[in-house]
Amino acid sequence: MAAVGACLFPAVLFSRRSVGKLYSKQISSVTPRLATSAESHGTLEKEKDKKVLEEKEKRWMNGWNEYLEQSKELIGPDGGPPRWFSPLDCASHLDNSPLLLFLPGIDGVGLGLILHHEKLGRIFDIWCLHIPVADRTTFTDIVKIVERTVKSEYQRSPNRPIYLVGESLGACLALAVAALNPNIDLVLILANPATSFSRSNLQLLTPLLEALPDPLSPGLPNFLRSLAGESLRRVLDNVVQGLPLQNTAGELVKDLTTFSLSLPVLADILPKETLEWKLHMLKSASAYAQSRLYAIKAQTLILCSGNDQLLPSQLEGERLLNLLPKSKCEYRKFDDCGHFLFLEGSIDLVTIIKGTSYYRRGKYHDYASDFIPPTPDEARKIIESNSLFNHVASAVMLSTLEDGTIVKGLAGIPSEGPVLFVGYHMLLGLEKVPLVSRIFLERNILLRGIAHPMMFMRSKTGKMPDISSFDNFRIMGAVPVAPANFFKLFSSKSHVLLYPGGMREALHRKGEEYKLFWPEQSEFVRMAARFGAKIVPFGAVGEDDLGEVVFDYDDLMKIPYFRTEIESLTNEATQLRSDFGGEVANQQVHLPLILPKVPGRFYYYFGKPFETKGRKQELRDKEKSHEFYLQVKSEVESCIAYLKVKRESDPYRSIGPRLLYQVTHGFESEVPTFEI
């Protein structure tokens, strides 16, 4: 474990211009480890799930141990005021990285992000606020300390956002600073905000602490060190029994002792007097932030735990989502996590920020320049989450070499960008998962999918799936369809995935499988030619071996209830191609009724790439561009026709023969297919 230097600075003096070490001890950083997803095969899946859970618990315990060990160096009596420290020696590796200020919870140590320091440090400059144990600075004065730092840094870099990451009490701090500074570009990330204090069990701790006998109080830290587990709970239960709140408080004590009181150092972090002070501060912080929510204009991401025993966090998150500006506020919930969200083994803050498209270095998020590629662990986790579908699809992929030879595998796909993949959108877009997974795993190429804007925003709230269901697509590089995004992706020499048929193809009617619904005019040729991008046409078949549409859009529109639902869903989604004619303009959002079949197999065929390099002037001509466009479309249709014929000779087209083959050759073995 690499050790890194830590610097502590008075909060009112610290800036990136003047960095003087006031604290020379070392604070170690922990490299996060993402748990491995479970396999999808019977007993193996259960065993893997158990290992995943054990890994998460191990990482959680490692996080707590690291937090406690490093806290020992920060909680000694020094008589100093609240101050900032940098948990990493080196600055961010990215140019123009934004500043991230971490605002701690009730503990005040400032190490709540200890599991995330290393990854955050690659894309942010990180400062953490430390509030000494014996410090009695009021909440409003701490707000002023944070506010002074925010204003100072904003003056230095007015075109960069400042991130305020707060947990519990720190979330109230972040909200207060944002309310007082509506004209400063702030991004708030709030974990289990304590604005719900008045409706929480935490307020029961005040009478509980008052009930502790005075002789016990001075020796509380040593007393707690001598106790562990059930014995500690029994002692505190006896104290609680004399209170009218005994049942609720007793449960709260058990929850608290589970994570804290059985860990000796936390008795030093929160001795009785400090805990009483912090609880009173929580009460005033909650009221202060609550009364100023109306003034907040900052972009806000609310993260809430479903198993938080201290605060009603999920209910509070939903409440704040309705009170804060809807166009700037997102909400993510984590059902199995407890109050200390950032110390959970399953949580990766950088991944969450990327999945919500909340990382930006300017006034607006740029899907090209602000995109942070997925780490190998992030990509692996996402791909493994789709392992069952990939296994059932058992995709066969063919590609075409430069000399026109068709080969099994992806050797014919160009390595150097810019490259534009153009193909057929299967029913419900089912082909995307094996397509993106295999190209990433076998060629280490990330396909940047051009996606419908409804995956990124809503025109209004309603019955559409929550945007969080598309977080993995954004982590893997999906961008909303827009000419500007095409331009930026081609400029960065990316591999881009485009479905000209869009939603109309993915939600096709009965009997329309493998029919292209492309616009009449070219949408991508001249842009590709401007950058000399190669265009790879491809076909994909197999949807008709998974299911059959038996009740489609036309049928649904005949029933008043479904017609109303479709109109409502369509109004929620951002509209595309409204000025187009023909079927491609039919972008109604609906879900057809599909009759499942015994699973077959998916087949992909990537045709020979079309070159546009050196043809920029030629393809500016509308007629020549349109002719080129029709050639690409024809090639996609030819790829589909080729696969439909060849799959008939695949002895492993059905899942039965494939499973039998894998039983005899191993589940990781590659299942053969037809001869080319």
Side-chain angles (χ1 to χ4, degrees):
M1 186 178 297
V4 294
C7 309
L8 285 178
F9 308 94
V12 294
L13 299 177
F14 182 37
S15 74
R16 278 182 274 189
R17 290 181 179 176
S18 59
V19 180
K21 285 197 175 183
L22 301 183
Y23 189 81
S24 58
K25 292 183 179 180
Q26 299 291 303
I27 289 183
S28 301
S29 64
V30 180
T31 303
R33 297 175 182 173
L34 291 178
T36 306
S37 298
E39 293 179 13
S40 57
H41 310 298
T43 305
L44 288 177
E45 181 180 4
K46 293 180 181 178
E47 292 177 358
K48 199 69 176 287
D49 281 339
K50 184 179 179 181
K51 290 180 180 178
V52 170
L53 183 60
E54 289 174 353
E55 274 297 312
K56 289 180 179 179
E57 291 177 351
K58 182 179 179 181
R59 185 169 181 263
W60 182 84
M61 286 306 301
N62 288 341
W64 267 106
N65 290 337
E66 187 70 13
Y67 166 83
L68 295 170
E69 283 300 311
Q70 301 304 335
S71 293
K72 293 177 183 178
E73 303 175 4
L74 294 173
I75 60 178
D78 59 10
R83 68 204 71 175
W84 299 105
F85 71 89
S86 175
L88 300 173
D89 265 343
C90 56
S92 169
H93 296 298
L94 291 181
D95 293 334
N96 203 35
S97 294
L99 174 65
L100 184 150
L101 302 178
F102 175 65
L103 309 176
I106 193 172
D107 63 297
V109 177
L111 291 175
L113 291 179
I114 195 164
L115 288 181
H116 311 270
H117 285 161
E118 185 172 308
K119 285 188 73 175
L120 286 169
R122 297 170 190 165
I123 59 176
F124 290 103
D125 290 332
I126 313 172
W127 301 353
C128 303
L129 183 65
H130 171 65
I131 305 173
V133 173
D135 181 74
R136 295 297 181 262
T137 305
T138 64
F139 177 76
T140 53
D141 285 339
I142 296 176
V143 170
K144 292 175 183 177
I145 289 172
V146 178
E147 186 180 19
R148 279 196 292 268
T149 302
V150 166
K151 287 181 175 179
S152 172
E153 291 304 310
Y154 178 71
Q155 287 177 354
R156 293 187 62 247
S157 304
N159 295 320
R160 272 186 290 183
I162 297 174
Y163 283 70
L164 300 182
V165 179
E167 62 174 356
S168 183
L169 173 63
C172 294
L173 269 173
L175 289 167
V177 172
L180 295 171
N181 299 274
N183 296 321
I184 293 181
D185 186 9
L186 298 174
V187 179
L188 311 184
I189 300 178
L190 313 177
N192 297 325
T195 45
S196 62
F197 178 78
S198 63
R199 300 179 299 281
S200 74
N201 288 333
L202 269 178
Q203 59 184 335
L204 303 177
L205 274 181
T206 301
L208 173 63
L209 289 172
E210 292 172 353
L212 287 173
D214 289 336
L216 181 66
S217 303
L220 186 60
N222 292 326
F223 172 75
L224 292 175
R225 286 191 185 95
S226 67
L227 298 172
E230 290 300 322
S231 59
L232 173 61
R233 292 182 185 137
R234 283 196 298 270
V235 171
L236 289 180
D237 278 343
N238 291 333
V239 175
V240 173
Q241 282 176 5
L243 297 173
L245 305 171
Q246 64 179 53
N247 293 334
T248 307
E251 290 301 315
L252 180 60
V253 168
K254 291 176 183 178
D255 294 332
L256 286 169
T257 56
T258 299
F259 72 85
S260 64
L261 298 180
S262 61
L263 301 171
V265 72
L266 281 183
D268 293 326
I269 295 174
L270 289 173
K272 180 185 175 185
E273 296 79 7
T274 299
L275 183 54
E276 284 183 299
W277 172 262
K278 292 292 180 67
L279 289 173
H280 286 298
M281 183 186 289
L282 269 178
K283 184 177 180 180
S284 62
S286 175
Y288 188 100
Q290 290 271 24
S291 65
R292 289 164 175 80
L293 291 177
Y294 69 91
I296 294 174
K297 297 180 180 179
Q299 185 182 12
T300 305
L301 175 60
I302 305 168
L303 310 177
C304 291
S305 300
N307 197 27
D308 187 346
Q309 301 299 316
L310 305 183
L311 298 169
S313 291
Q314 284 201 358
L315 291 175
E316 181 64 7
E318 294 168 0
R319 190 182 74 89
L320 290 176
L321 182 65
N322 291 323
L323 293 175
L324 297 174
K326 289 183 172 55
S327 61
K328 293 186 175 182
C329 189
E330 290 286 341
Y331 169 66
R332 297 293 183 271
K333 59 182 178 179
F334 305 90
D335 291 331
D336 298 326
C337 293
H339 179 73
F340 295 91
L341 186 64
F342 295 135
L343 290 177
E344 293 279 349
S346 59
I347 298 299
D348 188 320
L349 182 56
V350 172
T351 303
I352 293 170
I353 291 172
K354 291 197 283 188
T356 52
S357 300
Y358 261 58
Y359 184 73
R360 57 185 174 91
R361 286 171 284 182
K363 290 191 177 297
Y364 304 99
H365 177 77
D366 188 309
Y367 286 96
S369 63
D370 287 331
F371 175 67
I372 310 296
T375 64
D377 277 339
E378 287 171 339
R380 175 178 53 81
K381 184 177 180 181
I382 291 172
I383 291 171
E384 287 185 351
S385 69
N386 294 303
S387 60
L388 176 60
F389 184 78
N390 283 330
H391 181 74
V392 171
S394 186
V396 174
M397 296 200 176
L398 312 176
S399 60
T400 308
L401 303 179
E402 290 185 0
D403 62 3
T405 304
I406 302 174
V407 295
K408 293 179 182 178
L410 301 170
I413 289 178
S415 300
E416 298 297 324
V419 178
L420 177 62
F421 291 80
V422 183
Y424 167 70
H425 219 1
M426 273 192 198
L427 182 65
L428 304 182
L430 295 173
E431 81 292 336
K432 294 195 304 292
V433 172
L435 174 66
V436 173
S437 300
R438 286 281 291 275
I439 290 179
F440 183 84
L441 291 173
E442 295 183 17
R443 294 297 309 277
N444 196 29
I445 292 173
L446 184 65
L447 280 186
R448 303 292 305 275
I450 302 296
H452 197 286
M454 72 177 182
M455 293 172 57
F456 303 86
M457 66 188 74
R458 297 279 190 270
S459 59
K460 61 180 182 179
T461 57
K463 300 180 179 180
M464 290 283 287
D466 191 270
I467 290 181
S468 63
S469 58
F470 301 110
D471 284 359
N472 284 347
F473 289 96
R474 291 192 286 271
I475 292 172
M476 295 299 286
V479 303
V481 58
N485 288 333
F486 263 112
F487 182 92
K488 292 171 182 176
L489 292 177
F490 284 147
S491 298
S492 61
K493 300 186 182 301
S494 300
H495 288 68
V496 183
L497 174 62
L498 173 68
Y499 295 102
M503 190 183 296
R504 178 60 182 86
E505 270 178 15
L507 300 177
H508 62 66
R509 320 292 189 251
K510 290 181 289 189
E512 291 181 347
E513 52 274 346
Y514 309 125
K515 181 179 179 181
L516 301 186
F517 291 93
W518 289 20
E520 291 297 323
Q521 63 268 43
S522 165
E523 290 185 311
F524 57 83
V525 172
R526 280 181 284 184
M527 182 71 79
R530 181 173 181 174
F531 292 91
K534 294 180 179 179
I535 299 177
V536 179
F538 72 91
V541 303
E543 64 171 76
D544 52 342
D545 280 344
L546 277 185
E548 179 184 0
V549 177
V550 294
F551 208 74
D552 62 14
Y553 170 78
D554 296 330
D555 298 319
L556 292 169
M557 290 297 286
K558 294 175 183 176
I559 302 173
Y561 171 78
F562 289 117
R563 181 169 63 249
T564 302
E565 289 293 299
I566 290 172
E567 291 171 353
S568 175
L569 290 172
T570 303
N571 288 334
E572 286 179 41
T574 304
Q575 294 300 297
L576 291 177
R577 294 169 168 171
S578 56
D579 56 340
F580 280 35
E583 278 296 312
V584 75
N586 192 348
Q587 298 280 327
Q588 279 78 5
V589 180
H590 68 285
L591 186 64
L593 179 62
I594 301 170
L595 182 66
K597 295 182 179 180
V598 176
R601 199 172 194 180
F602 280 11
Y603 302 85
Y604 300 79
Y605 172 29
F606 299 91
K608 185 177 180 180
F610 286 83
E611 292 282 356
T612 65
K613 190 174 183 179
R615 303 183 65 181
K616 179 179 177 180
Q617 294 299 326
E618 174 192 352
L619 293 176
R620 277 185 177 178
D621 181 82
K622 262 193 171 182
E623 289 187 7
K624 290 188 178 297
S625 174
H626 187 64
E627 181 182 344
F628 188 94
Y629 174 73
L630 293 178
Q631 289 175 5
V632 174
K633 181 179 180 182
S634 176
E635 185 62 22
V636 171
E637 291 172 329
S638 297
C639 291
I640 293 172
Y642 175 85
L643 291 173
K644 289 172 69 177
V645 171
K646 296 296 290 184
R647 69 174 176 173
E648 296 295 334
S649 60
D650 183 0
Y652 300 100
R653 178 177 172 182
S654 179
I655 194 172
R658 291 203 303 276
L659 288 175
L660 183 61
Y661 181 90
Q662 289 184 315
V663 166
T664 56
H665 293 80
F667 277 104
E668 299 301 320
S669 60
E670 183 179 352
V671 180
T673 186
F674 53 76
E675 294 296 325
I676 298 178

